[in-house]
Amino acid sequence: MRTQVVIVGAGPAGLLLGQILHKHGVANVILERQTGDYVLGRVRAGVIEQVTQDLLDEVGVGGRMHRDGLVHEAVQICVDGARHRIPLKELTGKTVMVYGQTEITRDLMEGRAGIGAPTVYSAGDVTLHDIFGDKPRVSYQAEGKSHEIACDFIAGCDGFHGVCRASVPPDAITTHERVYPFGWLGILTDTPPVLDEVVYVRHPLGFALCSMRGPTRSRYYIQCDLADDVEAWPDQRFWDALKPRLDDEARARLVTGPSIEKSIAPLRSFVAEPIRFGRLFLAGDAAHIVPPTGAKGLNLAASDVRYLSRALIEHYAEKSEAGIDCYSERALARVWKAERFSWWLTMLLHKISDNTFDRKIQLAELDYLFRSKAASTAFAENYVGLPY
Ligand code: FAD
Ligand code: DHB
């Protein structure tokens, strides 16, 4: 079998890349280790930047997002029981969309089924061959048989634990990493959101986040220990931990109910450099990880895909290597700014230690953020997404 681009991973990065390439006549095959249902079962990000929305529209799968997604003109930050509103639209002219990653994945999967482009789910033992040569190949196992695809390029969209980054010789790659000593425990509930805007909470008991998926579905997170196990967090314990972190009004409005999903995510900052190796390109979580505090993970995956798709389309249409040669540098320039913002917001809002100096510095910076229009604008510019 032969195709132009083999895409490893059918998460948002791989599916979006596949749609854009197909639209521009570039043939591609997606290989995904899990089943489609498994991919759809993962509850993750919720805040979508304008530039990500534009890409979904470009490939014709943004309809349901515009119908069911919630346009947010502001976010709120609650510090030790007092809530402050940051008016994103007033400060930047831009808004964000609250629409779950699960729904985006579903829309992209349906879009791909609609165009009849090939996706192999449950592909085992995906192995890359000859990435630095002219004729790379990808082999895999499916339905008990061995398969191999010859291609021009390989797109590694297979997430942090994928095979693509791991296939690169260690001396060709540099990695930069910070692992945080806490995680997020998240729950999804069929209850109305506590407020109609996303609220980030800084409290001496630890960070919390109140978000939503619609008028009757809420998504909440609390800071937890890395050693915590979801089994140790029955719903009542979660609500008991969340409530005291909220302000009086939010606490009074909070509607609790049974969780329909509950999971723990560790927090990590990670960047690989470069993200192009011969004919292999990394995109999304395969290349970098941000802690979720700035809601940037999914949006960065989309921005990598934008740079990579433009480069590949240009290569086939104009026989030019310019975009391909610049991909790593261009994508990483935007990645590092989102890494900085996500790290900064994480350090600002979490309980980092019992050191009172650290706490006082957080409070001073938050006070400045709320009082200074320059500081609020800098926050808002980063939150809605920096320009390409
Ligand atoms: P992924 O979504 O990880 O997709 C990679 C795909 O590759 C997966 O389907 C995987 O099964 C497949 N794959 C892996 N290995 C192989 C292989 N060897 N062969 C074939 N296929 C393979 N971001 C936010 O902004 N807010 C959040 O609240 C948030 N919460 C998160 C919670 C968790 C637990 C995780 C892991 C991430 C979270 N993120 C969040 C980050 C965001 O979800 C990711 O940035 C986004 O999913 C990146 O998309 P991706 O397509 O690059 O990678
Ligand atoms: C959500 C997740 C985030 O990481 C974030 O910063 C804001 C909202 C969410 O799941 O809704």
Side-chain angles (χ1 to χ4, degrees), residues 35 46 103 105 112 124 149 156 166 178 184 188 198 211 218 234-235 250 257 285 291 303 308 312 317 332 344 352-353:
T35 64
E103 304 310 315
T105 308
R112 191 161 178 89
I149 312 180
R178 172 186 281 261
W184 279 17
L188 194 64
V198 172
S211 185
S218 299
D235 293 348
D285 278 16
S303 80
L308 180 55
L312 292 171
L332 285 171
W344 170 77
I352 306 285
S353 70

mmCIF file with all atom_site columns, all heavy atoms in Angstrom, residues 35 46 103 105 112 124 149 156 166 178 184 188 198 211 218 234-235 250 257 285 291 303 308 312 317 332 344 352-353:
data_model
loop_
_atom_site.group_PDB
_atom_site.id
_atom_site.type_symbol
_atom_site.label_atom_id
_atom_site.label_alt_id
_atom_site.label_comp_id
_atom_site.label_asym_id
_atom_site.label_entity_id
_atom_site.label_seq_id
_atom_site.pdbx_PDB_ins_code
_atom_site.Cartn_x
_atom_site.Cartn_y
_atom_site.Cartn_z
_atom_site.occupancy
_atom_site.B_iso_or_equiv
_atom_site.pdbx_formal_charge
_atom_site.auth_seq_id
_atom_site.auth_comp_id
_atom_site.auth_asym_id
_atom_site.auth_atom_id
_atom_site.pdbx_PDB_model_num
ATOM 1   N N   . THR A 1 35  ? -9.592  1.884  19.736 1.00 0.00 ? 35  THR A N   1
ATOM 2   C CA  . THR A 1 35  ? -10.824 1.857  18.941 1.00 0.00 ? 35  THR A CA  1
ATOM 3   C C   . THR A 1 35  ? -11.394 3.280  18.900 1.00 0.00 ? 35  THR A C   1
ATOM 4   O O   . THR A 1 35  ? -11.047 4.128  19.732 1.00 0.00 ? 35  THR A O   1
ATOM 5   C CB  . THR A 1 35  ? -11.888 0.946  19.594 1.00 0.00 ? 35  THR A CB  1
ATOM 6   O OG1 . THR A 1 35  ? -12.227 1.533  20.873 1.00 0.00 ? 35  THR A OG1 1
ATOM 7   C CG2 . THR A 1 35  ? -11.379 -0.473 19.815 1.00 0.00 ? 35  THR A CG2 1
ATOM 8   N N   . GLY A 1 46  ? -11.749 21.871 27.030 1.00 0.00 ? 46  GLY A N   1
ATOM 9   C CA  . GLY A 1 46  ? -13.053 22.489 26.804 1.00 0.00 ? 46  GLY A CA  1
ATOM 10  C C   . GLY A 1 46  ? -13.056 23.888 26.225 1.00 0.00 ? 46  GLY A C   1
ATOM 11  O O   . GLY A 1 46  ? -14.094 24.351 25.771 1.00 0.00 ? 46  GLY A O   1
ATOM 12  N N   . GLU A 1 103 ? -16.506 16.341 21.669 1.00 0.00 ? 103 GLU A N   1
ATOM 13  C CA  . GLU A 1 103 ? -17.422 16.720 20.579 1.00 0.00 ? 103 GLU A CA  1
ATOM 14  C C   . GLU A 1 103 ? -16.635 17.067 19.321 1.00 0.00 ? 103 GLU A C   1
ATOM 15  O O   . GLU A 1 103 ? -17.044 16.717 18.205 1.00 0.00 ? 103 GLU A O   1
ATOM 16  C CB  . GLU A 1 103 ? -18.299 17.912 21.001 1.00 0.00 ? 103 GLU A CB  1
ATOM 17  C CG  . GLU A 1 103 ? -19.089 17.690 22.283 1.00 0.00 ? 103 GLU A CG  1
ATOM 18  C CD  . GLU A 1 103 ? -19.857 16.366 22.271 1.00 0.00 ? 103 GLU A CD  1
ATOM 19  O OE1 . GLU A 1 103 ? -20.489 16.056 21.241 1.00 0.00 ? 103 GLU A OE1 1
ATOM 20  O OE2 . GLU A 1 103 ? -19.799 15.636 23.270 1.00 0.00 ? 103 GLU A OE2 1
ATOM 21  N N   . THR A 1 105 ? -13.756 15.866 18.489 1.00 0.00 ? 105 THR A N   1
ATOM 22  C CA  . THR A 1 105 ? -13.269 14.594 17.946 1.00 0.00 ? 105 THR A CA  1
ATOM 23  C C   . THR A 1 105 ? -14.389 13.893 17.184 1.00 0.00 ? 105 THR A C   1
ATOM 24  O O   . THR A 1 105 ? -14.187 13.381 16.086 1.00 0.00 ? 105 THR A O   1
ATOM 25  C CB  . THR A 1 105 ? -12.745 13.707 19.102 1.00 0.00 ? 105 THR A CB  1
ATOM 26  O OG1 . THR A 1 105 ? -11.812 14.467 19.861 1.00 0.00 ? 105 THR A OG1 1
ATOM 27  C CG2 . THR A 1 105 ? -12.075 12.456 18.587 1.00 0.00 ? 105 THR A CG2 1
ATOM 28  N N   . ARG A 1 112 ? -14.481 12.752 8.599  1.00 0.00 ? 112 ARG A N   1
ATOM 29  C CA  . ARG A 1 112 ? -13.594 11.812 7.894  1.00 0.00 ? 112 ARG A CA  1
ATOM 30  C C   . ARG A 1 112 ? -14.387 10.653 7.291  1.00 0.00 ? 112 ARG A C   1
ATOM 31  O O   . ARG A 1 112 ? -14.144 10.254 6.151  1.00 0.00 ? 112 ARG A O   1
ATOM 32  C CB  . ARG A 1 112 ? -12.529 11.286 8.856  1.00 0.00 ? 112 ARG A CB  1
ATOM 33  C CG  . ARG A 1 112 ? -11.431 10.533 8.128  1.00 0.00 ? 112 ARG A CG  1
ATOM 34  C CD  . ARG A 1 112 ? -10.171 10.401 8.942  1.00 0.00 ? 112 ARG A CD  1
ATOM 35  N NE  . ARG A 1 112 ? -9.177  9.617  8.210  1.00 0.00 ? 112 ARG A NE  1
ATOM 36  C CZ  . ARG A 1 112 ? -8.282  10.127 7.367  1.00 0.00 ? 112 ARG A CZ  1
ATOM 37  N NH1 . ARG A 1 112 ? -8.242  11.414 7.149  1.00 0.00 ? 112 ARG A NH1 1
ATOM 38  N NH2 . ARG A 1 112 ? -7.427  9.341  6.724  1.00 0.00 ? 112 ARG A NH2 1
ATOM 39  N N   . GLY A 1 124 ? -2.027  -2.180 15.788 1.00 0.00 ? 124 GLY A N   1
ATOM 40  C CA  . GLY A 1 124 ? -1.035  -2.540 16.803 1.00 0.00 ? 124 GLY A CA  1
ATOM 41  C C   . GLY A 1 124 ? 0.380   -2.414 16.266 1.00 0.00 ? 124 GLY A C   1
ATOM 42  O O   . GLY A 1 124 ? 0.609   -2.437 15.050 1.00 0.00 ? 124 GLY A O   1
ATOM 43  N N   . ILE A 1 149 ? 2.871   0.477  4.891  1.00 0.00 ? 149 ILE A N   1
ATOM 44  C CA  . ILE A 1 149 ? 2.482   1.559  3.985  1.00 0.00 ? 149 ILE A CA  1
ATOM 45  C C   . ILE A 1 149 ? 3.738   2.351  3.619  1.00 0.00 ? 149 ILE A C   1
ATOM 46  O O   . ILE A 1 149 ? 4.464   2.829  4.509  1.00 0.00 ? 149 ILE A O   1
ATOM 47  C CB  . ILE A 1 149 ? 1.473   2.540  4.639  1.00 0.00 ? 149 ILE A CB  1
ATOM 48  C CG1 . ILE A 1 149 ? 0.325   1.773  5.307  1.00 0.00 ? 149 ILE A CG1 1
ATOM 49  C CG2 . ILE A 1 149 ? 0.918   3.511  3.595  1.00 0.00 ? 149 ILE A CG2 1
ATOM 50  C CD1 . ILE A 1 149 ? -0.706  2.688  5.967  1.00 0.00 ? 149 ILE A CD1 1
ATOM 51  N N   . GLY A 1 156 ? 3.592   12.519 13.107 1.00 0.00 ? 156 GLY A N   1
ATOM 52  C CA  . GLY A 1 156 ? 3.480   11.902 14.436 1.00 0.00 ? 156 GLY A CA  1
ATOM 53  C C   . GLY A 1 156 ? 2.502   12.709 15.281 1.00 0.00 ? 156 GLY A C   1
ATOM 54  O O   . GLY A 1 156 ? 2.871   13.693 15.910 1.00 0.00 ? 156 GLY A O   1
ATOM 55  N N   . ALA A 1 166 ? 9.416   8.602  20.191 1.00 0.00 ? 166 ALA A N   1
ATOM 56  C CA  . ALA A 1 166 ? 10.299  7.556  20.727 1.00 0.00 ? 166 ALA A CA  1
ATOM 57  C C   . ALA A 1 166 ? 11.139  6.900  19.625 1.00 0.00 ? 166 ALA A C   1
ATOM 58  O O   . ALA A 1 166 ? 12.128  6.222  19.923 1.00 0.00 ? 166 ALA A O   1
ATOM 59  C CB  . ALA A 1 166 ? 9.451   6.504  21.452 1.00 0.00 ? 166 ALA A CB  1
ATOM 60  N N   . ARG A 1 178 ? 9.238   20.119 32.873 1.00 0.00 ? 178 ARG A N   1
ATOM 61  C CA  . ARG A 1 178 ? 8.997   20.410 34.283 1.00 0.00 ? 178 ARG A CA  1
ATOM 62  C C   . ARG A 1 178 ? 7.771   19.591 34.698 1.00 0.00 ? 178 ARG A C   1
ATOM 63  O O   . ARG A 1 178 ? 6.722   19.680 34.060 1.00 0.00 ? 178 ARG A O   1
ATOM 64  C CB  . ARG A 1 178 ? 8.710   21.892 34.498 1.00 0.00 ? 178 ARG A CB  1
ATOM 65  C CG  . ARG A 1 178 ? 8.254   22.203 35.924 1.00 0.00 ? 178 ARG A CG  1
ATOM 66  C CD  . ARG A 1 178 ? 7.850   23.643 36.047 1.00 0.00 ? 178 ARG A CD  1
ATOM 67  N NE  . ARG A 1 178 ? 9.021   24.492 36.169 1.00 0.00 ? 178 ARG A NE  1
ATOM 68  C CZ  . ARG A 1 178 ? 9.473   24.962 37.330 1.00 0.00 ? 178 ARG A CZ  1
ATOM 69  N NH1 . ARG A 1 178 ? 8.855   24.677 38.444 1.00 0.00 ? 178 ARG A NH1 1
ATOM 70  N NH2 . ARG A 1 178 ? 10.527  25.743 37.368 1.00 0.00 ? 178 ARG A NH2 1
ATOM 71  N N   . TRP A 1 184 ? -4.732  17.199 38.586 1.00 0.00 ? 184 TRP A N   1
ATOM 72  C CA  . TRP A 1 184 ? -6.115  17.677 38.582 1.00 0.00 ? 184 TRP A CA  1
ATOM 73  C C   . TRP A 1 184 ? -7.034  16.469 38.634 1.00 0.00 ? 184 TRP A C   1
ATOM 74  O O   . TRP A 1 184 ? -6.894  15.531 37.827 1.00 0.00 ? 184 TRP A O   1
ATOM 75  C CB  . TRP A 1 184 ? -6.434  18.428 37.298 1.00 0.00 ? 184 TRP A CB  1
ATOM 76  C CG  . TRP A 1 184 ? -5.990  19.843 37.230 1.00 0.00 ? 184 TRP A CG  1
ATOM 77  C CD1 . TRP A 1 184 ? -5.068  20.471 38.013 1.00 0.00 ? 184 TRP A CD1 1
ATOM 78  C CD2 . TRP A 1 184 ? -6.448  20.820 36.277 1.00 0.00 ? 184 TRP A CD2 1
ATOM 79  N NE1 . TRP A 1 184 ? -4.928  21.781 37.609 1.00 0.00 ? 184 TRP A NE1 1
ATOM 80  C CE2 . TRP A 1 184 ? -5.753  22.014 36.548 1.00 0.00 ? 184 TRP A CE2 1
ATOM 81  C CE3 . TRP A 1 184 ? -7.357  20.793 35.218 1.00 0.00 ? 184 TRP A CE3 1
ATOM 82  C CZ2 . TRP A 1 184 ? -5.951  23.177 35.795 1.00 0.00 ? 184 TRP A CZ2 1
ATOM 83  C CZ3 . TRP A 1 184 ? -7.554  21.939 34.476 1.00 0.00 ? 184 TRP A CZ3 1
ATOM 84  C CH2 . TRP A 1 184 ? -6.861  23.130 34.765 1.00 0.00 ? 184 TRP A CH2 1
ATOM 85  N N   . LEU A 1 188 ? -17.314 15.188 35.537 1.00 0.00 ? 188 LEU A N   1
ATOM 86  C CA  . LEU A 1 188 ? -18.353 15.680 34.638 1.00 0.00 ? 188 LEU A CA  1
ATOM 87  C C   . LEU A 1 188 ? -19.683 15.320 35.292 1.00 0.00 ? 188 LEU A C   1
ATOM 88  O O   . LEU A 1 188 ? -19.834 14.187 35.781 1.00 0.00 ? 188 LEU A O   1
ATOM 89  C CB  . LEU A 1 188 ? -18.197 14.945 33.306 1.00 0.00 ? 188 LEU A CB  1
ATOM 90  C CG  . LEU A 1 188 ? -18.904 15.454 32.072 1.00 0.00 ? 188 LEU A CG  1
ATOM 91  C CD1 . LEU A 1 188 ? -18.394 16.833 31.684 1.00 0.00 ? 188 LEU A CD1 1
ATOM 92  C CD2 . LEU A 1 188 ? -18.667 14.482 30.910 1.00 0.00 ? 188 LEU A CD2 1
ATOM 93  N N   . VAL A 1 198 ? -16.484 30.598 32.848 1.00 0.00 ? 198 VAL A N   1
ATOM 94  C CA  . VAL A 1 198 ? -15.495 29.692 33.445 1.00 0.00 ? 198 VAL A CA  1
ATOM 95  C C   . VAL A 1 198 ? -14.824 30.413 34.615 1.00 0.00 ? 198 VAL A C   1
ATOM 96  O O   . VAL A 1 198 ? -14.447 31.584 34.501 1.00 0.00 ? 198 VAL A O   1
ATOM 97  C CB  . VAL A 1 198 ? -14.450 29.280 32.374 1.00 0.00 ? 198 VAL A CB  1
ATOM 98  C CG1 . VAL A 1 198 ? -13.296 28.499 32.998 1.00 0.00 ? 198 VAL A CG1 1
ATOM 99  C CG2 . VAL A 1 198 ? -15.118 28.465 31.272 1.00 0.00 ? 198 VAL A CG2 1
ATOM 100 N N   . SER A 1 211 ? -16.118 24.723 35.140 1.00 0.00 ? 211 SER A N   1
ATOM 101 C CA  . SER A 1 211 ? -16.374 24.910 33.715 1.00 0.00 ? 211 SER A CA  1
ATOM 102 C C   . SER A 1 211 ? -17.658 24.183 33.348 1.00 0.00 ? 211 SER A C   1
ATOM 103 O O   . SER A 1 211 ? -18.425 23.773 34.244 1.00 0.00 ? 211 SER A O   1
ATOM 104 C CB  . SER A 1 211 ? -15.175 24.429 32.898 1.00 0.00 ? 211 SER A CB  1
ATOM 105 O OG  . SER A 1 211 ? -15.348 24.702 31.529 1.00 0.00 ? 211 SER A OG  1
ATOM 106 N N   . SER A 1 218 ? -21.916 20.160 33.689 1.00 0.00 ? 218 SER A N   1
ATOM 107 C CA  . SER A 1 218 ? -20.802 20.896 34.281 1.00 0.00 ? 218 SER A CA  1
ATOM 108 C C   . SER A 1 218 ? -19.527 20.067 34.294 1.00 0.00 ? 218 SER A C   1
ATOM 109 O O   . SER A 1 218 ? -19.564 18.830 34.330 1.00 0.00 ? 218 SER A O   1
ATOM 110 C CB  . SER A 1 218 ? -21.126 21.263 35.731 1.00 0.00 ? 218 SER A CB  1
ATOM 111 O OG  . SER A 1 218 ? -22.264 22.086 35.774 1.00 0.00 ? 218 SER A OG  1
ATOM 112 N N   . PRO A 1 234 ? -14.903 9.358  46.250 1.00 0.00 ? 234 PRO A N   1
ATOM 113 C CA  . PRO A 1 234 ? -16.329 9.281  45.969 1.00 0.00 ? 234 PRO A CA  1
ATOM 114 C C   . PRO A 1 234 ? -16.864 10.699 45.750 1.00 0.00 ? 234 PRO A C   1
ATOM 115 O O   . PRO A 1 234 ? -16.251 11.683 46.179 1.00 0.00 ? 234 PRO A O   1
ATOM 116 C CB  . PRO A 1 234 ? -16.924 8.646  47.227 1.00 0.00 ? 234 PRO A CB  1
ATOM 117 C CG  . PRO A 1 234 ? -15.879 8.687  48.270 1.00 0.00 ? 234 PRO A CG  1
ATOM 118 C CD  . PRO A 1 234 ? -14.553 8.887  47.595 1.00 0.00 ? 234 PRO A CD  1
ATOM 119 N N   . ASP A 1 235 ? -18.018 10.804 45.048 1.00 0.00 ? 235 ASP A N   1
ATOM 120 C CA  . ASP A 1 235 ? -18.524 12.124 44.653 1.00 0.00 ? 235 ASP A CA  1
ATOM 121 C C   . ASP A 1 235 ? -18.626 13.083 45.836 1.00 0.00 ? 235 ASP A C   1
ATOM 122 O O   . ASP A 1 235 ? -18.266 14.252 45.731 1.00 0.00 ? 235 ASP A O   1
ATOM 123 C CB  . ASP A 1 235 ? -19.894 11.994 43.985 1.00 0.00 ? 235 ASP A CB  1
ATOM 124 C CG  . ASP A 1 235 ? -19.777 11.279 42.648 1.00 0.00 ? 235 ASP A CG  1
ATOM 125 O OD1 . ASP A 1 235 ? -18.637 11.113 42.164 1.00 0.00 ? 235 ASP A OD1 1
ATOM 126 O OD2 . ASP A 1 235 ? -20.820 10.875 42.104 1.00 0.00 ? 235 ASP A OD2 1
ATOM 127 N N   . ALA A 1 250 ? -21.137 31.659 44.587 1.00 0.00 ? 250 ALA A N   1
ATOM 128 C CA  . ALA A 1 250 ? -20.975 30.430 43.805 1.00 0.00 ? 250 ALA A CA  1
ATOM 129 C C   . ALA A 1 250 ? -21.314 29.210 44.668 1.00 0.00 ? 250 ALA A C   1
ATOM 130 O O   . ALA A 1 250 ? -21.983 28.273 44.211 1.00 0.00 ? 250 ALA A O   1
ATOM 131 C CB  . ALA A 1 250 ? -19.547 30.335 43.274 1.00 0.00 ? 250 ALA A CB  1
ATOM 132 N N   . GLY A 1 257 ? -24.369 16.626 42.158 1.00 0.00 ? 257 GLY A N   1
ATOM 133 C CA  . GLY A 1 257 ? -25.080 15.465 41.608 1.00 0.00 ? 257 GLY A CA  1
ATOM 134 C C   . GLY A 1 257 ? -24.070 14.376 41.324 1.00 0.00 ? 257 GLY A C   1
ATOM 135 O O   . GLY A 1 257 ? -22.868 14.592 41.486 1.00 0.00 ? 257 GLY A O   1
ATOM 136 N N   . ASP A 1 285 ? 0.418   16.870 21.207 1.00 0.00 ? 285 ASP A N   1
ATOM 137 C CA  . ASP A 1 285 ? 1.013   16.335 22.439 1.00 0.00 ? 285 ASP A CA  1
ATOM 138 C C   . ASP A 1 285 ? 2.221   15.437 22.182 1.00 0.00 ? 285 ASP A C   1
ATOM 139 O O   . ASP A 1 285 ? 3.006   15.197 23.102 1.00 0.00 ? 285 ASP A O   1
ATOM 140 C CB  . ASP A 1 285 ? -0.039  15.519 23.223 1.00 0.00 ? 285 ASP A CB  1
ATOM 141 C CG  . ASP A 1 285 ? -0.957  16.400 24.059 1.00 0.00 ? 285 ASP A CG  1
ATOM 142 O OD1 . ASP A 1 285 ? -0.996  17.622 23.810 1.00 0.00 ? 285 ASP A OD1 1
ATOM 143 O OD2 . ASP A 1 285 ? -1.648  15.856 24.949 1.00 0.00 ? 285 ASP A OD2 1
ATOM 144 N N   . PRO A 1 291 ? 0.628   22.195 31.101 1.00 0.00 ? 291 PRO A N   1
ATOM 145 C CA  . PRO A 1 291 ? -0.359  21.923 32.152 1.00 0.00 ? 291 PRO A CA  1
ATOM 146 C C   . PRO A 1 291 ? -1.682  22.559 31.704 1.00 0.00 ? 291 PRO A C   1
ATOM 147 O O   . PRO A 1 291 ? -1.664  23.579 31.010 1.00 0.00 ? 291 PRO A O   1
ATOM 148 C CB  . PRO A 1 291 ? 0.230   22.613 33.382 1.00 0.00 ? 291 PRO A CB  1
ATOM 149 C CG  . PRO A 1 291 ? 1.198   23.621 32.852 1.00 0.00 ? 291 PRO A CG  1
ATOM 150 C CD  . PRO A 1 291 ? 1.688   23.105 31.536 1.00 0.00 ? 291 PRO A CD  1
ATOM 151 N N   . SER A 1 303 ? -2.689  24.515 16.251 1.00 0.00 ? 303 SER A N   1
ATOM 152 C CA  . SER A 1 303 ? -1.805  25.472 15.584 1.00 0.00 ? 303 SER A CA  1
ATOM 153 C C   . SER A 1 303 ? -0.633  24.749 14.911 1.00 0.00 ? 303 SER A C   1
ATOM 154 O O   . SER A 1 303 ? -0.232  25.114 13.813 1.00 0.00 ? 303 SER A O   1
ATOM 155 C CB  . SER A 1 303 ? -1.377  26.610 16.516 1.00 0.00 ? 303 SER A CB  1
ATOM 156 O OG  . SER A 1 303 ? -0.345  26.273 17.375 1.00 0.00 ? 303 SER A OG  1
ATOM 157 N N   . LEU A 1 308 ? 1.829   22.731 9.794  1.00 0.00 ? 308 LEU A N   1
ATOM 158 C CA  . LEU A 1 308 ? 2.268   21.527 9.082  1.00 0.00 ? 308 LEU A CA  1
ATOM 159 C C   . LEU A 1 308 ? 1.463   21.303 7.808  1.00 0.00 ? 308 LEU A C   1
ATOM 160 O O   . LEU A 1 308 ? 2.019   20.971 6.757  1.00 0.00 ? 308 LEU A O   1
ATOM 161 C CB  . LEU A 1 308 ? 2.167   20.308 10.018 1.00 0.00 ? 308 LEU A CB  1
ATOM 162 C CG  . LEU A 1 308 ? 2.599   18.975 9.425  1.00 0.00 ? 308 LEU A CG  1
ATOM 163 C CD1 . LEU A 1 308 ? 4.032   19.049 8.872  1.00 0.00 ? 308 LEU A CD1 1
ATOM 164 C CD2 . LEU A 1 308 ? 2.513   17.865 10.475 1.00 0.00 ? 308 LEU A CD2 1
ATOM 165 N N   . LEU A 1 312 ? 2.930   21.087 3.973  1.00 0.00 ? 312 LEU A N   1
ATOM 166 C CA  . LEU A 1 312 ? 2.804   19.908 3.107  1.00 0.00 ? 312 LEU A CA  1
ATOM 167 C C   . LEU A 1 312 ? 2.043   20.247 1.823  1.00 0.00 ? 312 LEU A C   1
ATOM 168 O O   . LEU A 1 312 ? 2.405   19.797 0.732  1.00 0.00 ? 312 LEU A O   1
ATOM 169 C CB  . LEU A 1 312 ? 2.114   18.766 3.874  1.00 0.00 ? 312 LEU A CB  1
ATOM 170 C CG  . LEU A 1 312 ? 2.944   18.168 5.025  1.00 0.00 ? 312 LEU A CG  1
ATOM 171 C CD1 . LEU A 1 312 ? 2.104   17.211 5.864  1.00 0.00 ? 312 LEU A CD1 1
ATOM 172 C CD2 . LEU A 1 312 ? 4.177   17.429 4.471  1.00 0.00 ? 312 LEU A CD2 1
ATOM 173 N N   . ALA A 1 317 ? 1.913   21.311 -3.992 1.00 0.00 ? 317 ALA A N   1
ATOM 174 C CA  . ALA A 1 317 ? 1.387   22.200 -5.036 1.00 0.00 ? 317 ALA A CA  1
ATOM 175 C C   . ALA A 1 317 ? 2.496   22.949 -5.758 1.00 0.00 ? 317 ALA A C   1
ATOM 176 O O   . ALA A 1 317 ? 2.416   23.176 -6.957 1.00 0.00 ? 317 ALA A O   1
ATOM 177 C CB  . ALA A 1 317 ? 0.407   23.196 -4.419 1.00 0.00 ? 317 ALA A CB  1
ATOM 178 N N   . LEU A 1 332 ? 7.357   25.945 16.955 1.00 0.00 ? 332 LEU A N   1
ATOM 179 C CA  . LEU A 1 332 ? 7.895   26.034 18.314 1.00 0.00 ? 332 LEU A CA  1
ATOM 180 C C   . LEU A 1 332 ? 7.884   27.457 18.859 1.00 0.00 ? 332 LEU A C   1
ATOM 181 O O   . LEU A 1 332 ? 7.760   27.655 20.072 1.00 0.00 ? 332 LEU A O   1
ATOM 182 C CB  . LEU A 1 332 ? 9.302   25.434 18.371 1.00 0.00 ? 332 LEU A CB  1
ATOM 183 C CG  . LEU A 1 332 ? 9.339   23.902 18.321 1.00 0.00 ? 332 LEU A CG  1
ATOM 184 C CD1 . LEU A 1 332 ? 10.768  23.397 18.158 1.00 0.00 ? 332 LEU A CD1 1
ATOM 185 C CD2 . LEU A 1 332 ? 8.709   23.289 19.574 1.00 0.00 ? 332 LEU A CD2 1
ATOM 186 N N   . TRP A 1 344 ? 3.024   29.935 33.858 1.00 0.00 ? 344 TRP A N   1
ATOM 187 C CA  . TRP A 1 344 ? 2.798   31.103 34.712 1.00 0.00 ? 344 TRP A CA  1
ATOM 188 C C   . TRP A 1 344 ? 1.451   30.999 35.435 1.00 0.00 ? 344 TRP A C   1
ATOM 189 O O   . TRP A 1 344 ? 1.362   31.210 36.649 1.00 0.00 ? 344 TRP A O   1
ATOM 190 C CB  . TRP A 1 344 ? 2.850   32.370 33.832 1.00 0.00 ? 344 TRP A CB  1
ATOM 191 C CG  . TRP A 1 344 ? 2.406   33.620 34.510 1.00 0.00 ? 344 TRP A CG  1
ATOM 192 C CD1 . TRP A 1 344 ? 3.116   34.354 35.406 1.00 0.00 ? 344 TRP A CD1 1
ATOM 193 C CD2 . TRP A 1 344 ? 1.138   34.272 34.348 1.00 0.00 ? 344 TRP A CD2 1
ATOM 194 N NE1 . TRP A 1 344 ? 2.366   35.437 35.819 1.00 0.00 ? 344 TRP A NE1 1
ATOM 195 C CE2 . TRP A 1 344 ? 1.144   35.404 35.181 1.00 0.00 ? 344 TRP A CE2 1
ATOM 196 C CE3 . TRP A 1 344 ? -0.001  34.004 33.580 1.00 0.00 ? 344 TRP A CE3 1
ATOM 197 C CZ2 . TRP A 1 344 ? 0.057   36.270 35.281 1.00 0.00 ? 344 TRP A CZ2 1
ATOM 198 C CZ3 . TRP A 1 344 ? -1.084  34.864 33.666 1.00 0.00 ? 344 TRP A CZ3 1
ATOM 199 C CH2 . TRP A 1 344 ? -1.041  35.985 34.515 1.00 0.00 ? 344 TRP A CH2 1
ATOM 200 N N   . ILE A 1 352 ? 1.407   25.730 45.828 1.00 0.00 ? 352 ILE A N   1
ATOM 201 C CA  . ILE A 1 352 ? 2.703   25.196 45.414 1.00 0.00 ? 352 ILE A CA  1
ATOM 202 C C   . ILE A 1 352 ? 3.441   24.619 46.619 1.00 0.00 ? 352 ILE A C   1
ATOM 203 O O   . ILE A 1 352 ? 4.114   23.608 46.529 1.00 0.00 ? 352 ILE A O   1
ATOM 204 C CB  . ILE A 1 352 ? 3.560   26.313 44.764 1.00 0.00 ? 352 ILE A CB  1
ATOM 205 C CG1 . ILE A 1 352 ? 2.802   26.993 43.624 1.00 0.00 ? 352 ILE A CG1 1
ATOM 206 C CG2 . ILE A 1 352 ? 4.926   25.799 44.331 1.00 0.00 ? 352 ILE A CG2 1
ATOM 207 C CD1 . ILE A 1 352 ? 2.690   26.216 42.361 1.00 0.00 ? 352 ILE A CD1 1
ATOM 208 N N   . SER A 1 353 ? 3.321   25.307 47.747 1.00 0.00 ? 353 SER A N   1
ATOM 209 C CA  . SER A 1 353 ? 4.037   24.874 48.952 1.00 0.00 ? 353 SER A CA  1
ATOM 210 C C   . SER A 1 353 ? 3.356   25.532 50.151 1.00 0.00 ? 353 SER A C   1
ATOM 211 O O   . SER A 1 353 ? 2.412   26.299 49.994 1.00 0.00 ? 353 SER A O   1
ATOM 212 C CB  . SER A 1 353 ? 5.497   25.334 48.879 1.00 0.00 ? 353 SER A CB  1
ATOM 213 O OG  . SER A 1 353 ? 5.530   26.746 49.024 1.00 0.00 ? 353 SER A OG  1
#
